[in-house]
């Protein structure tokens, strides 16, 4: 059965009331959820950098290991050439072995220089790693505090939020699909999350611009969906201002 415009307006306004309550709960949490997310992202970035530093240290240590093996190989060759040098038959063989000895000696010098350079780089990377770990520990403490604070706030409103979300699910089912899409679009663009408002004191409850009397009369009838011509919010009805009558002063009889 097709809903009347009045029923559609009532359904969408009821949804707005629920969403406004949920917005209020989120507002109490303030920027904490974003701060927690930012800290988690920051710490994840530090972890990536720590892994990178460790990989670089491991790479330098592997280089040192290979260079030390290279030195051992050169030392074995030097001993071998020295033994051969004792049994040379002519000057040409002697010179050739001497060149090989010089070459292996040079290889050892270059390897030792590279080992020293790699050692300096490892020491620097370890300092960088220690500094980064210290920063990361501080940020982790900040994160733990923020998480605890957020958990406390969430726990206080958890039951209410769960009930409101359940009510929202039921309420959404009663709202026309096309109207719901429009509602969500307006809500996303509204600073205060209000997509459906009442006309209060002759003005739009969202942007506070004046709504002409004839337009107010149309809104009261609820025969068609009417939006504010200034902000585009759905106008669900008109709240009549209740004027309290001042009590009349009693006349006192003149004596």
């Amino acid at each position: 059965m097709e809903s009347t415009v009045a029923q559609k307006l009532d359904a969408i306004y009821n949804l707005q009331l629920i969403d406004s309550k949920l917005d209020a709960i989120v507002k109490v949490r303030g920027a904490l959820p974003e701060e927690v997310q930012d800290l988690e992202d920051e710490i994840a970035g530090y972890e990536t950098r720590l892994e990178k530093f460790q990989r670089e240290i491991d790479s330098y240590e592997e280089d040192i290991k290979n260079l030390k093996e290279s030195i051992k190989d050169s030392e074995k060759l030097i001993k071998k050439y020295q033994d051969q040098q004792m049994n040379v038959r002519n000057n040409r063989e002697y010179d050739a072995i001497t060149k090989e000895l010089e070459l292996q000696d040079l290889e050892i010098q270059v390897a030792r220089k590279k080992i020293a350079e790699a050692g300096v780089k490892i020491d620097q990377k370890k300092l960088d790693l220690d500094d980064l770990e210290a920063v990361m520990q501080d940020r982790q403490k900040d994160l733990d505090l923020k998480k605890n604070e957020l958990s406390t706030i969430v726990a206080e409103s958890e039951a209410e939020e769960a009930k409101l979300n359940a009510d929202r699910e039921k309420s959404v089912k009663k709202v026309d699909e096309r109207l719901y899409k429009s509602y969500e679009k307006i809500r996303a663009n509204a600073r205060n999350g209000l997509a459906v408002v009442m006309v209060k004191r002759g003005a739009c409850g969202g942007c506070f611009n004046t709504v002409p009397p004839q337009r107010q009369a149309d809104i009261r009838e609820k025969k068609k969906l009417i939006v504010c011509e200034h902000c585009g919010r759905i106008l669900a009805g008109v709240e009549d201002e209740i004027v309290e009558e001042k009590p009349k002063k009693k006349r006192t009889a003149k004596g």
Side-chain angles (χ1 to χ4, degrees):
M1 186 178 174
E2 183 68 25
S3 300
T4 65
V5 172
Q7 287 171 331
K8 288 179 180 179
L9 283 168
D10 288 343
I12 200 73
Y13 185 61
N14 184 56
L15 178 61
Q16 177 67 76
L17 292 175
I18 294 169
D19 279 338
S20 291
K21 288 176 183 176
L22 285 166
D23 289 345
I25 289 172
V26 172
K27 192 176 179 182
V28 170
R29 294 169 191 168
L32 274 174
E34 288 78 12
E35 288 172 7
V36 166
Q37 186 61 57
D38 288 345
L39 281 167
E40 285 177 341
D41 292 343
E42 187 180 341
I43 289 168
Y46 290 147
E47 287 172 344
T48 301
R49 286 174 64 191
L50 284 173
E51 288 171 6
K52 182 174 178 285
F53 285 159
Q54 192 57 58
R55 283 198 302 271
E56 289 173 347
I57 289 169
D58 292 343
S59 177
Y60 290 136
E61 287 178 343
E62 184 65 24
D63 289 344
I64 288 171
K65 181 184 173 184
N66 292 334
L67 288 164
K68 284 181 176 178
E69 287 297 322
S70 174
I71 288 171
K72 284 181 183 178
D73 292 340
S74 291
E75 285 172 343
K76 286 177 184 177
L77 285 172
I78 285 171
K79 189 176 184 305
K80 175 187 170 185
Y81 292 140
Q82 284 173 340
D83 290 342
Q84 287 178 356
Q85 205 174 35
M86 300 296 290
N87 301 306
V88 292
R89 288 170 295 182
N90 52 53
N91 287 338
R92 192 176 67 180
E93 284 184 8
Y94 184 87
D95 291 342
I97 292 172
T98 300
K99 282 183 181 178
E100 286 296 333
L101 284 167
E102 288 172 354
L103 181 63
Q104 292 306 317
D105 187 55
L106 184 63
E107 288 281 349
I108 290 171
Q109 288 179 47
V110 169
R112 283 175 178 165
K113 185 184 177 186
K114 286 181 178 179
I115 287 170
E117 288 171 350
V120 170
K121 287 176 181 176
I122 287 172
D123 290 341
Q124 185 56 55
K125 286 293 173 187
K126 283 183 176 177
L127 286 173
D128 293 341
L129 194 144
D130 290 342
D131 289 343
L132 191 57
E133 281 182 335
V135 171
M136 188 172 155
Q137 284 174 4
D138 286 340
R139 301 309 278 159
Q140 185 63 52
K141 287 176 185 174
D142 292 341
L143 175 60
D144 292 340
L145 284 170
K146 296 282 185 189
K147 273 187 169 180
N148 288 336
E149 191 178 345
L150 181 59
S151 294
T152 302
I153 294 170
V154 168
E156 288 171 355
S157 58
E158 197 170 15
E160 184 186 359
E161 188 177 10
K163 184 182 180 303
L164 284 168
N165 278 318
D167 290 344
R168 189 183 193 279
E169 280 185 28
K170 292 175 187 174
S171 186
V172 168
K173 290 175 184 176
K174 296 176 183 177
V175 177
D176 179 79
E177 190 177 345
R178 283 174 59 191
L179 183 57
Y180 179 69
K181 286 180 181 177
S182 298
Y183 167 80
E184 288 286 87
K185 190 175 180 182
I186 297 168
R187 242 177 81 78
N189 294 322
R191 283 179 63 187
N192 53 10
L194 292 175
V196 185
V197 295
M198 300 292 283
V199 175
K200 298 178 181 180
R201 296 182 180 179
C204 169
C207 66
F208 309 113
N209 277 292
T210 302
V211 178
Q214 181 54 50
R215 201 164 181 81
Q216 288 186 46
D218 293 339
I219 294 164
R220 275 194 180 92
E221 288 182 357
K222 295 188 177 183
K223 289 184 178 178
K224 58 182 177 178
L225 288 170
I226 298 173
V227 298
C228 174
E229 58 188 16
H230 298 283
C231 66
R233 288 179 173 89
I234 299 165
L235 299 170
V238 178
E239 283 188 6
D240 293 311
E241 191 176 352
I242 300 168
V243 180
E244 290 184 10
E245 288 187 13
K246 292 181 181 178
K248 292 178 182 179
K249 289 183 180 179
K250 291 181 181 178
R251 290 184 180 182
T252 53
K254 289 182 181 180

